[in-house]
Amino acid sequence: MAKLDRLPIISCALLLVITATSHDRAYAQSDLTPGIIGEDNRTPIDNSNPPWTAIGQVNVHGYRMLSFCTGTLVAPRVVLTAAHCVIDPVKKAPFPAKDIHFIAGVSRDKFIGHSVARCLKFPDGFHYSGPQRLFPTLPAQPVAFGSFKLDLALIVLADDISEAGVIKLLDHDMLKIGASLVHASYPIDRRYQLTGDTTCKAIWQDADVVATNCDTRTGSSGGPILIEESGSKKLAAVSVGFLEKSVTIAVPLDRWPAIPLSAECP
């Protein structure tokens, strides 16, 4: 596993850096379906009922920059997502809370609820490194493998979205190798339709991340990795990126053992 630390991983957040004008031709001509492992196993999910209504879009609208990700309501005013989704890769600092929007239960031209962020919370020890160089023509940016250590964040919303419900967190480690998973998200190619890979499994796990064969695409970062427990789906990990076309990468929630679900801001 140690040699994987030297390989590039690709972030699934879509970052459009409008001010940049140059690009690397090799990356510009890269695969148009990053994150799909073999055949595309993603299918539409009927999100008219819980728990799917708790999953939504994380959209950042800032000065000359857009970012599109996925997040999950884990409390009526708290969204769990990937940390890199809410951090400006140019300034290497969090986006202003007022520019971060969460839209729950998006289904074509309808949605269940919307709120802007009030504040952000990150795990102790989290450090954002991000891509060394931004390629504006790429929806997915290459970063070092270690960039996804503790790549988790909570968005505390300004308003409750109680009508969307919540997805409960897995309170113990069940992400065993071979465990059956569901990865749900709002990928960029199906931005207004909740989409999921319901056929994937955990492939390997190290001290910081778990690798899966869940198909994903740009915009899926922050999307939940769900596992069945006692007849209900629990949130076990957060999708953060992919390793070329071999595996997708998620951060298990046990890396943040005391996730603060209160709506209090510092």
Side-chain angles (χ1 to χ4, degrees), residues 132-193:
Q132 292 184 345
R133 177 186 174 192
L134 288 171
F135 297 91
T137 58
L138 279 184
Q141 302 291 327
V143 298
F145 189 87
S147 296
F148 292 116
K149 181 178 181 180
L150 296 176
D151 190 9
L152 299 169
L154 291 176
I155 304 170
V156 178
L157 302 174
D159 305 293
D160 285 0
I161 311 182
S162 302
E163 58 272 31
V166 302
I167 295 182
K168 294 184 178 180
L169 306 181
L170 191 69
D171 58 5
H172 56 86
D173 182 15
M174 281 187 60
L175 267 181
K176 309 297 184 184
I177 302 305
S180 295
L181 308 173
V182 173
H183 170 43
S185 68
Y186 285 93
I188 195 60
D189 59 339
R190 304 173 189 180
R191 194 60 186 160
Y192 299 97
Q193 169 69 63

Short mmCIF file of all heavy atoms in Angstrom, two decimals, residues 132-193:
data_model
loop_
_atom_site.label_atom_id
_atom_site.label_comp_id
_atom_site.label_asym_id
_atom_site.label_seq_id
_atom_site.Cartn_x
_atom_site.Cartn_y
_atom_site.Cartn_z
N GLN A 132 -1.41 20.93 -7.10
CA GLN A 132 -0.25 21.81 -7.21
C GLN A 132 -0.43 22.83 -8.32
O GLN A 132 0.09 23.93 -8.28
CB GLN A 132 1.01 20.98 -7.46
CG GLN A 132 1.41 20.12 -6.27
CD GLN A 132 2.71 19.39 -6.52
OE1 GLN A 132 3.20 19.28 -7.64
NE2 GLN A 132 3.29 18.87 -5.45
N ARG A 133 -1.18 22.43 -9.34
CA ARG A 133 -1.46 23.31 -10.46
C ARG A 133 -2.88 23.07 -10.93
O ARG A 133 -3.31 21.92 -11.02
CB ARG A 133 -0.47 23.05 -11.60
CG ARG A 133 -0.72 23.88 -12.85
CD ARG A 133 0.20 23.45 -13.98
NE ARG A 133 -0.12 24.13 -15.22
CZ ARG A 133 0.38 23.78 -16.42
NH1 ARG A 133 1.22 22.77 -16.49
NH2 ARG A 133 0.03 24.45 -17.50
N LEU A 134 -3.63 24.12 -11.19
CA LEU A 134 -5.00 23.99 -11.65
C LEU A 134 -5.05 23.98 -13.18
O LEU A 134 -4.41 24.80 -13.83
CB LEU A 134 -5.85 25.15 -11.13
CG LEU A 134 -6.17 25.12 -9.64
CD1 LEU A 134 -6.81 26.42 -9.20
CD2 LEU A 134 -7.07 23.94 -9.30
N PHE A 135 -5.80 23.02 -13.72
CA PHE A 135 -6.01 22.93 -15.16
C PHE A 135 -7.45 23.33 -15.46
O PHE A 135 -8.37 22.54 -15.21
CB PHE A 135 -5.73 21.51 -15.64
CG PHE A 135 -4.31 21.07 -15.42
CD1 PHE A 135 -3.95 20.42 -14.25
CD2 PHE A 135 -3.34 21.32 -16.38
CE1 PHE A 135 -2.64 20.01 -14.04
CE2 PHE A 135 -2.03 20.91 -16.18
CZ PHE A 135 -1.68 20.26 -15.00
N PRO A 136 -7.67 24.53 -15.95
CA PRO A 136 -9.04 25.03 -16.09
C PRO A 136 -9.90 24.27 -17.07
O PRO A 136 -11.13 24.36 -17.00
CB PRO A 136 -8.83 26.48 -16.55
CG PRO A 136 -7.46 26.50 -17.15
CD PRO A 136 -6.66 25.52 -16.35
N THR A 137 -9.31 23.51 -17.99
CA THR A 137 -10.11 22.74 -18.93
C THR A 137 -10.52 21.40 -18.35
O THR A 137 -11.29 20.67 -18.97
CB THR A 137 -9.33 22.50 -20.23
OG1 THR A 137 -8.11 21.82 -19.92
CG2 THR A 137 -9.03 23.81 -20.93
N LEU A 138 -10.00 21.03 -17.19
CA LEU A 138 -10.31 19.74 -16.58
C LEU A 138 -11.38 19.88 -15.52
O LEU A 138 -11.25 20.69 -14.61
CB LEU A 138 -9.06 19.15 -15.92
CG LEU A 138 -8.05 18.44 -16.80
CD1 LEU A 138 -6.95 17.86 -15.93
CD2 LEU A 138 -8.69 17.35 -17.61
N PRO A 139 -12.43 19.07 -15.57
CA PRO A 139 -13.40 19.07 -14.48
C PRO A 139 -12.86 18.36 -13.25
O PRO A 139 -13.34 18.57 -12.14
CB PRO A 139 -14.59 18.32 -15.08
CG PRO A 139 -13.99 17.44 -16.12
CD PRO A 139 -12.83 18.20 -16.68
N ALA A 140 -11.86 17.49 -13.43
CA ALA A 140 -11.24 16.78 -12.31
C ALA A 140 -9.76 17.14 -12.26
O ALA A 140 -9.09 17.15 -13.28
CB ALA A 140 -11.40 15.27 -12.48
N GLN A 141 -9.27 17.47 -11.07
CA GLN A 141 -7.92 17.98 -10.92
C GLN A 141 -7.02 16.95 -10.24
O GLN A 141 -7.42 16.33 -9.27
CB GLN A 141 -7.94 19.26 -10.08
CG GLN A 141 -8.81 20.37 -10.65
CD GLN A 141 -8.25 20.97 -11.92
OE1 GLN A 141 -7.05 21.05 -12.10
NE2 GLN A 141 -9.14 21.40 -12.81
N PRO A 142 -5.78 16.76 -10.75
CA PRO A 142 -4.87 15.79 -10.12
C PRO A 142 -4.29 16.33 -8.82
O PRO A 142 -3.86 17.47 -8.74
CB PRO A 142 -3.77 15.61 -11.18
CG PRO A 142 -3.80 16.88 -11.97
CD PRO A 142 -5.22 17.36 -11.97
N VAL A 143 -4.31 15.50 -7.79
CA VAL A 143 -3.73 15.87 -6.49
C VAL A 143 -2.98 14.67 -5.93
O VAL A 143 -3.16 13.54 -6.39
CB VAL A 143 -4.82 16.32 -5.49
CG1 VAL A 143 -5.55 17.56 -5.97
CG2 VAL A 143 -5.80 15.19 -5.22
N ALA A 144 -2.16 14.91 -4.92
CA ALA A 144 -1.41 13.84 -4.27
C ALA A 144 -2.36 12.95 -3.46
O ALA A 144 -3.38 13.41 -2.94
CB ALA A 144 -0.34 14.42 -3.36
N PHE A 145 -2.00 11.67 -3.35
CA PHE A 145 -2.84 10.71 -2.63
C PHE A 145 -3.13 11.18 -1.21
O PHE A 145 -4.24 11.06 -0.71
CB PHE A 145 -2.13 9.35 -2.60
CG PHE A 145 -2.98 8.23 -2.06
CD1 PHE A 145 -3.81 7.51 -2.90
CD2 PHE A 145 -2.94 7.89 -0.72
CE1 PHE A 145 -4.60 6.48 -2.40
CE2 PHE A 145 -3.71 6.87 -0.22
CZ PHE A 145 -4.54 6.15 -1.06
N GLY A 146 -2.12 11.74 -0.53
CA GLY A 146 -2.28 12.17 0.85
C GLY A 146 -3.22 13.34 1.04
O GLY A 146 -3.58 13.66 2.18
N SER A 147 -3.64 13.99 -0.04
CA SER A 147 -4.53 15.14 0.08
C SER A 147 -5.88 14.78 0.67
O SER A 147 -6.59 15.65 1.17
CB SER A 147 -4.75 15.79 -1.29
OG SER A 147 -3.54 16.31 -1.80
N PHE A 148 -6.26 13.50 0.60
CA PHE A 148 -7.59 13.12 1.04
C PHE A 148 -7.63 12.61 2.47
O PHE A 148 -8.67 12.14 2.94
CB PHE A 148 -8.18 12.09 0.09
CG PHE A 148 -8.47 12.69 -1.26
CD1 PHE A 148 -7.81 12.24 -2.38
CD2 PHE A 148 -9.38 13.72 -1.39
CE1 PHE A 148 -8.08 12.79 -3.62
CE2 PHE A 148 -9.65 14.28 -2.62
CZ PHE A 148 -9.00 13.82 -3.74
N LYS A 149 -6.52 12.71 3.19
CA LYS A 149 -6.54 12.36 4.60
C LYS A 149 -7.45 13.34 5.35
O LYS A 149 -7.29 14.55 5.25
CB LYS A 149 -5.11 12.42 5.17
CG LYS A 149 -5.03 12.03 6.63
CD LYS A 149 -3.58 12.06 7.11
CE LYS A 149 -3.49 11.64 8.57
NZ LYS A 149 -2.09 11.65 9.06
N LEU A 150 -8.45 12.81 6.03
CA LEU A 150 -9.42 13.64 6.79
C LEU A 150 -10.16 14.62 5.89
O LEU A 150 -10.55 15.70 6.32
CB LEU A 150 -8.71 14.40 7.92
CG LEU A 150 -8.09 13.56 9.03
CD1 LEU A 150 -7.34 14.45 10.02
CD2 LEU A 150 -9.16 12.75 9.75
N ASP A 151 -10.39 14.25 4.64
CA ASP A 151 -11.06 15.15 3.69
C ASP A 151 -12.57 15.14 3.93
O ASP A 151 -13.36 14.70 3.11
CB ASP A 151 -10.73 14.71 2.26
CG ASP A 151 -11.19 15.72 1.22
OD1 ASP A 151 -11.60 16.83 1.60
OD2 ASP A 151 -11.15 15.38 0.03
N LEU A 152 -12.97 15.63 5.10
CA LEU A 152 -14.36 15.68 5.52
C LEU A 152 -14.68 17.07 6.02
O LEU A 152 -13.81 17.77 6.56
CB LEU A 152 -14.63 14.67 6.64
CG LEU A 152 -14.38 13.19 6.31
CD1 LEU A 152 -14.43 12.36 7.59
CD2 LEU A 152 -15.40 12.68 5.31
N ALA A 153 -15.92 17.48 5.86
CA ALA A 153 -16.35 18.79 6.38
C ALA A 153 -17.83 18.75 6.70
O ALA A 153 -18.61 18.00 6.08
CB ALA A 153 -16.06 19.89 5.36
N LEU A 154 -18.22 19.56 7.66
CA LEU A 154 -19.63 19.78 7.97
C LEU A 154 -19.99 21.20 7.55
O LEU A 154 -19.26 22.14 7.84
CB LEU A 154 -19.90 19.62 9.46
CG LEU A 154 -19.80 18.20 10.03
CD1 LEU A 154 -20.00 18.24 11.54
CD2 LEU A 154 -20.83 17.27 9.39
N ILE A 155 -21.11 21.32 6.86
CA ILE A 155 -21.66 22.63 6.53
C ILE A 155 -22.83 22.87 7.48
O ILE A 155 -23.83 22.14 7.45
CB ILE A 155 -22.17 22.68 5.08
CG1 ILE A 155 -21.05 22.31 4.10
CG2 ILE A 155 -22.73 24.06 4.76
CD1 ILE A 155 -21.56 22.11 2.67
N VAL A 156 -22.70 23.85 8.37
CA VAL A 156 -23.82 24.23 9.23
C VAL A 156 -24.64 25.24 8.45
O VAL A 156 -24.14 26.30 8.05
CB VAL A 156 -23.32 24.83 10.56
CG1 VAL A 156 -24.51 25.28 11.41
CG2 VAL A 156 -22.49 23.80 11.32
N LEU A 157 -25.90 24.92 8.23
CA LEU A 157 -26.77 25.75 7.41
C LEU A 157 -27.40 26.89 8.21
O LEU A 157 -27.56 26.79 9.43
CB LEU A 157 -27.87 24.90 6.78
CG LEU A 157 -27.40 23.72 5.91
CD1 LEU A 157 -28.61 22.89 5.47
CD2 LEU A 157 -26.61 24.20 4.71
N ALA A 158 -27.79 27.92 7.50
CA ALA A 158 -28.48 29.03 8.14
C ALA A 158 -29.90 28.65 8.52
O ALA A 158 -30.48 29.21 9.46
CB ALA A 158 -28.47 30.25 7.22
N ASP A 159 -30.49 27.68 7.80
CA ASP A 159 -31.88 27.30 8.02
C ASP A 159 -32.02 25.78 8.08
O ASP A 159 -31.28 25.05 7.41
CB ASP A 159 -32.77 27.83 6.89
CG ASP A 159 -32.65 29.33 6.70
OD1 ASP A 159 -33.06 30.07 7.60
OD2 ASP A 159 -32.12 29.73 5.65
N ASP A 160 -33.00 25.31 8.87
CA ASP A 160 -33.32 23.89 8.90
C ASP A 160 -33.93 23.46 7.57
O ASP A 160 -34.64 24.22 6.92
CB ASP A 160 -34.35 23.60 9.99
CG ASP A 160 -33.74 23.61 11.39
OD1 ASP A 160 -32.53 23.86 11.50
OD2 ASP A 160 -34.49 23.38 12.35
N ILE A 161 -33.64 22.20 7.18
CA ILE A 161 -34.34 21.59 6.06
C ILE A 161 -34.94 20.28 6.60
O ILE A 161 -34.63 19.18 6.13
CB ILE A 161 -33.42 21.35 4.86
CG1 ILE A 161 -32.61 22.60 4.51
CG2 ILE A 161 -34.24 20.94 3.63
CD1 ILE A 161 -31.72 22.46 3.30
N SER A 162 -35.78 20.40 7.63
CA SER A 162 -36.31 19.24 8.33
C SER A 162 -37.12 18.33 7.42
O SER A 162 -37.14 17.10 7.59
CB SER A 162 -37.19 19.70 9.50
OG SER A 162 -36.46 20.51 10.39
N GLU A 163 -37.81 18.92 6.43
CA GLU A 163 -38.68 18.13 5.57
C GLU A 163 -37.92 17.13 4.71
O GLU A 163 -38.51 16.19 4.18
CB GLU A 163 -39.52 19.05 4.68
CG GLU A 163 -38.71 19.98 3.78
CD GLU A 163 -38.35 21.31 4.43
OE1 GLU A 163 -38.17 21.34 5.67
OE2 GLU A 163 -38.23 22.30 3.70
N ALA A 164 -36.60 17.31 4.56
CA ALA A 164 -35.80 16.39 3.75
C ALA A 164 -35.37 15.16 4.54
O ALA A 164 -34.92 14.18 3.96
CB ALA A 164 -34.58 17.11 3.19
N GLY A 165 -35.49 15.21 5.86
CA GLY A 165 -35.02 14.11 6.68
C GLY A 165 -33.51 14.08 6.79
O GLY A 165 -32.81 14.99 6.31
N VAL A 166 -32.99 13.05 7.42
CA VAL A 166 -31.54 12.89 7.59
C VAL A 166 -31.16 11.44 7.34
O VAL A 166 -32.02 10.55 7.35
CB VAL A 166 -31.08 13.31 9.02
CG1 VAL A 166 -31.48 14.75 9.32
CG2 VAL A 166 -31.65 12.37 10.08
N ILE A 167 -29.88 11.22 7.10
CA ILE A 167 -29.32 9.87 7.06
C ILE A 167 -28.41 9.71 8.26
O ILE A 167 -27.51 10.52 8.48
CB ILE A 167 -28.56 9.62 5.75
CG1 ILE A 167 -29.52 9.66 4.56
CG2 ILE A 167 -27.85 8.25 5.80
CD1 ILE A 167 -28.88 9.37 3.22
N LYS A 168 -28.67 8.69 9.05
CA LYS A 168 -27.90 8.47 10.26
C LYS A 168 -26.50 7.95 9.93
O LYS A 168 -26.28 7.27 8.94
CB LYS A 168 -28.63 7.49 11.18
CG LYS A 168 -29.94 8.04 11.73
CD LYS A 168 -30.58 7.07 12.70
CE LYS A 168 -31.86 7.65 13.29
NZ LYS A 168 -32.49 6.71 14.23
N LEU A 169 -25.58 8.29 10.82
CA LEU A 169 -24.20 7.86 10.64
C LEU A 169 -24.00 6.46 11.21
O LEU A 169 -24.60 6.10 12.24
CB LEU A 169 -23.25 8.83 11.35
CG LEU A 169 -23.36 10.31 10.99
CD1 LEU A 169 -22.33 11.12 11.76
CD2 LEU A 169 -23.21 10.51 9.49
N LEU A 170 -23.18 5.68 10.55
CA LEU A 170 -22.79 4.39 11.07
C LEU A 170 -21.97 4.62 12.33
O LEU A 170 -20.97 5.35 12.29
CB LEU A 170 -21.97 3.63 10.03
CG LEU A 170 -21.69 2.16 10.29
CD1 LEU A 170 -22.97 1.34 10.18
CD2 LEU A 170 -20.66 1.63 9.29
N ASP A 171 -22.36 4.03 13.44
CA ASP A 171 -21.68 4.33 14.71
C ASP A 171 -20.61 3.31 15.07
O ASP A 171 -20.08 3.32 16.17
CB ASP A 171 -22.69 4.46 15.85
CG ASP A 171 -23.53 3.20 16.04
OD1 ASP A 171 -23.25 2.20 15.35
OD2 ASP A 171 -24.45 3.22 16.87
N HIS A 172 -20.28 2.45 14.14
CA HIS A 172 -19.16 1.53 14.36
C HIS A 172 -18.63 1.12 12.99
O HIS A 172 -19.28 1.32 11.97
CB HIS A 172 -19.60 0.30 15.15
CG HIS A 172 -20.74 -0.45 14.52
ND1 HIS A 172 -20.57 -1.41 13.56
CD2 HIS A 172 -22.08 -0.34 14.70
CE1 HIS A 172 -21.74 -1.88 13.19
NE2 HIS A 172 -22.67 -1.24 13.86
N ASP A 173 -17.44 0.56 12.99
CA ASP A 173 -16.77 0.24 11.73
C ASP A 173 -17.32 -1.05 11.14
O ASP A 173 -17.14 -2.13 11.68
CB ASP A 173 -15.26 0.11 11.97
CG ASP A 173 -14.50 -0.16 10.68
OD1 ASP A 173 -15.11 0.04 9.61
OD2 ASP A 173 -13.34 -0.56 10.74
N MET A 174 -18.06 -0.90 10.00
CA MET A 174 -18.52 -2.09 9.28
C MET A 174 -18.00 -2.12 7.86
O MET A 174 -18.45 -2.90 7.03
CB MET A 174 -20.05 -2.15 9.27
CG MET A 174 -20.66 -2.66 10.56
SD MET A 174 -22.46 -2.90 10.39
CE MET A 174 -22.55 -4.10 9.08
N LEU A 175 -17.06 -1.24 7.54
CA LEU A 175 -16.53 -1.20 6.18
C LEU A 175 -15.46 -2.27 6.00
O LEU A 175 -14.29 -1.99 5.83
CB LEU A 175 -15.97 0.19 5.87
CG LEU A 175 -16.94 1.15 5.20
CD1 LEU A 175 -16.27 2.48 4.93
CD2 LEU A 175 -17.48 0.58 3.91
N LYS A 176 -15.89 -3.49 6.07
CA LYS A 176 -14.98 -4.60 5.87
C LYS A 176 -14.73 -4.80 4.38
O LYS A 176 -15.54 -4.41 3.54
CB LYS A 176 -15.57 -5.89 6.46
CG LYS A 176 -16.05 -5.75 7.90
CD LYS A 176 -14.92 -5.41 8.86
CE LYS A 176 -15.44 -5.38 10.30
NZ LYS A 176 -14.37 -4.94 11.24
N ILE A 177 -13.60 -5.38 4.05
CA ILE A 177 -13.31 -5.69 2.66
C ILE A 177 -14.40 -6.62 2.12
O ILE A 177 -14.75 -7.62 2.74
CB ILE A 177 -11.92 -6.35 2.53
CG1 ILE A 177 -10.84 -5.44 3.11
CG2 ILE A 177 -11.64 -6.67 1.06
CD1 ILE A 177 -10.82 -4.06 2.53
N GLY A 178 -14.95 -6.25 0.99
CA GLY A 178 -16.03 -7.03 0.40
C GLY A 178 -17.42 -6.58 0.81
O GLY A 178 -18.41 -7.10 0.29
N ALA A 179 -17.51 -5.59 1.72
CA ALA A 179 -18.82 -5.11 2.16
C ALA A 179 -19.58 -4.48 0.99
O ALA A 179 -19.01 -3.74 0.19
CB ALA A 179 -18.66 -4.10 3.28
N SER A 180 -20.86 -4.78 0.89
CA SER A 180 -21.71 -4.21 -0.16
C SER A 180 -22.03 -2.76 0.16
O SER A 180 -22.40 -2.43 1.28
CB SER A 180 -23.00 -5.02 -0.29
OG SER A 180 -22.73 -6.33 -0.73
N LEU A 181 -21.89 -1.89 -0.85
CA LEU A 181 -22.04 -0.45 -0.65
C LEU A 181 -23.01 0.13 -1.67
O LEU A 181 -23.29 -0.48 -2.70
CB LEU A 181 -20.68 0.25 -0.80
CG LEU A 181 -19.51 -0.28 0.01
CD1 LEU A 181 -18.22 0.42 -0.41
CD2 LEU A 181 -19.76 -0.10 1.51
N VAL A 182 -23.49 1.34 -1.38
CA VAL A 182 -24.23 2.15 -2.34
C VAL A 182 -23.59 3.54 -2.34
O VAL A 182 -23.41 4.13 -1.27
CB VAL A 182 -25.72 2.28 -1.97
CG1 VAL A 182 -26.42 3.26 -2.90
CG2 VAL A 182 -26.40 0.92 -2.03
N HIS A 183 -23.23 4.02 -3.51
CA HIS A 183 -22.70 5.38 -3.63
C HIS A 183 -23.71 6.21 -4.40
O HIS A 183 -24.01 5.93 -5.56
CB HIS A 183 -21.36 5.38 -4.35
CG HIS A 183 -20.87 6.75 -4.72
ND1 HIS A 183 -20.95 7.83 -3.85
CD2 HIS A 183 -20.31 7.23 -5.86
CE1 HIS A 183 -20.45 8.90 -4.44
NE2 HIS A 183 -20.08 8.56 -5.67
N ALA A 184 -24.27 7.24 -3.73
CA ALA A 184 -25.28 8.09 -4.36
C ALA A 184 -24.74 9.51 -4.48
O ALA A 184 -24.02 9.98 -3.60
CB ALA A 184 -26.56 8.09 -3.53
N SER A 185 -25.10 10.19 -5.58
CA SER A 185 -24.57 11.53 -5.78
C SER A 185 -25.32 12.25 -6.88
O SER A 185 -26.19 11.68 -7.55
CB SER A 185 -23.08 11.47 -6.14
OG SER A 185 -22.91 10.90 -7.43
N TYR A 186 -24.95 13.52 -7.07
CA TYR A 186 -25.42 14.33 -8.19
C TYR A 186 -24.23 14.63 -9.10
O TYR A 186 -23.63 15.70 -9.03
CB TYR A 186 -26.06 15.63 -7.69
CG TYR A 186 -27.43 15.44 -7.08
CD1 TYR A 186 -27.58 15.25 -5.71
CD2 TYR A 186 -28.56 15.44 -7.88
CE1 TYR A 186 -28.84 15.06 -5.16
CE2 TYR A 186 -29.82 15.26 -7.34
CZ TYR A 186 -29.96 15.07 -5.97
OH TYR A 186 -31.21 14.88 -5.42
N PRO A 187 -23.86 13.68 -9.96
CA PRO A 187 -22.69 13.88 -10.83
C PRO A 187 -22.97 14.93 -11.89
O PRO A 187 -24.12 15.23 -12.21
CB PRO A 187 -22.49 12.50 -11.45
CG PRO A 187 -23.86 11.91 -11.46
CD PRO A 187 -24.53 12.42 -10.21
N ILE A 188 -21.92 15.46 -12.46
CA ILE A 188 -22.07 16.56 -13.40
C ILE A 188 -22.81 16.14 -14.67
O ILE A 188 -23.49 16.96 -15.31
CB ILE A 188 -20.68 17.16 -13.76
CG1 ILE A 188 -20.85 18.52 -14.44
CG2 ILE A 188 -19.87 16.19 -14.59
CD1 ILE A 188 -21.55 19.56 -13.60
N ASP A 189 -22.74 14.86 -15.05
CA ASP A 189 -23.43 14.43 -16.26
C ASP A 189 -24.91 14.14 -16.01
O ASP A 189 -25.67 13.92 -16.96
CB ASP A 189 -22.73 13.22 -16.89
CG ASP A 189 -22.64 12.03 -15.97
OD1 ASP A 189 -22.74 12.21 -14.74
OD2 ASP A 189 -22.47 10.90 -16.47
N ARG A 190 -25.32 14.11 -14.72
CA ARG A 190 -26.73 13.91 -14.37
C ARG A 190 -27.04 14.80 -13.17
O ARG A 190 -27.51 14.34 -12.13
CB ARG A 190 -27.01 12.45 -14.04
CG ARG A 190 -26.62 11.48 -15.16
CD ARG A 190 -26.75 10.04 -14.77
NE ARG A 190 -26.17 9.15 -15.77
CZ ARG A 190 -26.15 7.83 -15.67
NH1 ARG A 190 -26.70 7.24 -14.63
NH2 ARG A 190 -25.60 7.10 -16.62
N ARG A 191 -26.79 16.08 -13.34
CA ARG A 191 -26.78 17.00 -12.20
C ARG A 191 -28.15 17.15 -11.54
O ARG A 191 -28.22 17.49 -10.37
CB ARG A 191 -26.27 18.37 -12.67
CG ARG A 191 -25.91 19.31 -11.53
CD ARG A 191 -24.83 18.74 -10.65
NE ARG A 191 -24.55 19.54 -9.47
CZ ARG A 191 -23.96 19.09 -8.38
NH1 ARG A 191 -23.58 17.85 -8.32
NH2 ARG A 191 -23.74 19.88 -7.35
N TYR A 192 -29.23 16.88 -12.24
CA TYR A 192 -30.56 17.08 -11.68
C TYR A 192 -31.30 15.77 -11.45
O TYR A 192 -32.51 15.76 -11.31
CB TYR A 192 -31.37 18.02 -12.59
CG TYR A 192 -30.70 19.37 -12.69
CD1 TYR A 192 -29.88 19.68 -13.77
CD2 TYR A 192 -30.84 20.32 -11.68
CE1 TYR A 192 -29.24 20.91 -13.85
CE2 TYR A 192 -30.20 21.55 -11.75
CZ TYR A 192 -29.40 21.83 -12.84
OH TYR A 192 -28.75 23.04 -12.90
N GLN A 193 -30.53 14.68 -11.38
CA GLN A 193 -31.10 13.37 -11.11
C GLN A 193 -30.19 12.63 -10.13
O GLN A 193 -29.02 12.39 -10.44
CB GLN A 193 -31.22 12.55 -12.40
CG GLN A 193 -31.55 11.08 -12.21
CD GLN A 193 -32.96 10.87 -11.70
OE1 GLN A 193 -33.92 11.20 -12.38
NE2 GLN A 193 -33.09 10.31 -10.49
#
